[in-house]
Amino acid sequence: MATAVADEVRTTLRAPGYGHPAWREIPEEAAPCRVCLDAIQPGREALIGFTYDPFQLTGDPSLPGPVFVHERHCEPYTGSGTYPARLGRSGLLLNCYREGRQLVRARRIDHADAEDALGELLALPEVDYIHVRSATAGCYLCTALPG
Ligand SMILES: [Zn+2]
């Protein structure tokens, strides 16, 4: 998620594009921040939760859901791999899209297989980007792009 989007929510406490109230809490379990893709530390750091549509920037039909970011400003993930190993341990749902929001494949995987699966799927000519979602909660985690 773009830092500017998160910073706007941190300031307004409103969901971007929706205006629904965002909320602040100190989580009891680690929650993945959608900006830095690191864990929001339970009992120690505050999060902002809000409704987010990962298709918002492309103008494609929306698929909103709840996400969390650090309450404090944080820097966007810039790791070199396609998938940050620190982003949780649960199963993942990989929704593979072609430009224009055409869902061309979906695969459910174990967290440990993320790097290999993303590399394999992003190499397919029909896949332009992948939305990574939690296989348990269903919520959007991040977008994986080729290269
Ligand atoms: Zn963060």
Side-chain angles (χ1 to χ4, degrees):
M1 176 187 303
T3 307
V5 173
D7 282 343
E8 181 191 330
V9 177
R10 289 169 176 136
T11 302
T12 63
L13 286 181
R14 295 279 168 183
Y18 296 100
H20 304 151
W23 74 94
R24 175 195 185 276
E25 70 177 76
I26 296 177
E28 294 179 5
E29 296 178 8
C33 172
R34 271 56 165 198
V35 176
C36 64
L37 302 186
D38 209 345
I40 300 165
Q41 295 301 318
R44 300 201 346 243
E45 294 184 305
L47 62 75
I48 303 291
F50 58 97
T51 301
Y52 178 70
D53 171 24
F55 291 107
Q56 202 166 48
L57 295 177
T58 63
D60 289 319
S62 61
L63 191 61
V67 294
F68 308 121
V69 297
H70 278 108
E71 180 186 47
R72 61 173 168 80
H73 178 83
C74 58
E75 296 300 322
Y77 176 73
T78 56
S80 55
T82 48
Y83 189 75
R86 60 192 180 181
L87 193 59
R89 286 174 205 84
S90 68
L92 298 170
L93 188 61
L94 306 181
N95 287 339
C96 307
Y97 292 96
R98 182 197 305 250
E99 213 172 295
R101 199 192 185 280
Q102 296 176 64
L103 181 65
V104 292
R105 280 171 192 259
R107 187 185 293 178
R108 187 181 176 137
I109 61 164
D110 289 332
H111 179 270
D113 300 329
E115 191 71 35
D116 288 344
L118 284 168
E120 177 190 324
L121 292 165
L122 284 170
L124 298 173
E126 70 269 28
V127 175
D128 290 322
Y129 61 96
I130 298 174
H131 281 179
V132 180
R133 289 178 172 267
S134 160
T136 49
C139 52
Y140 168 81
L141 293 170
C142 63
T143 298
L145 298 166

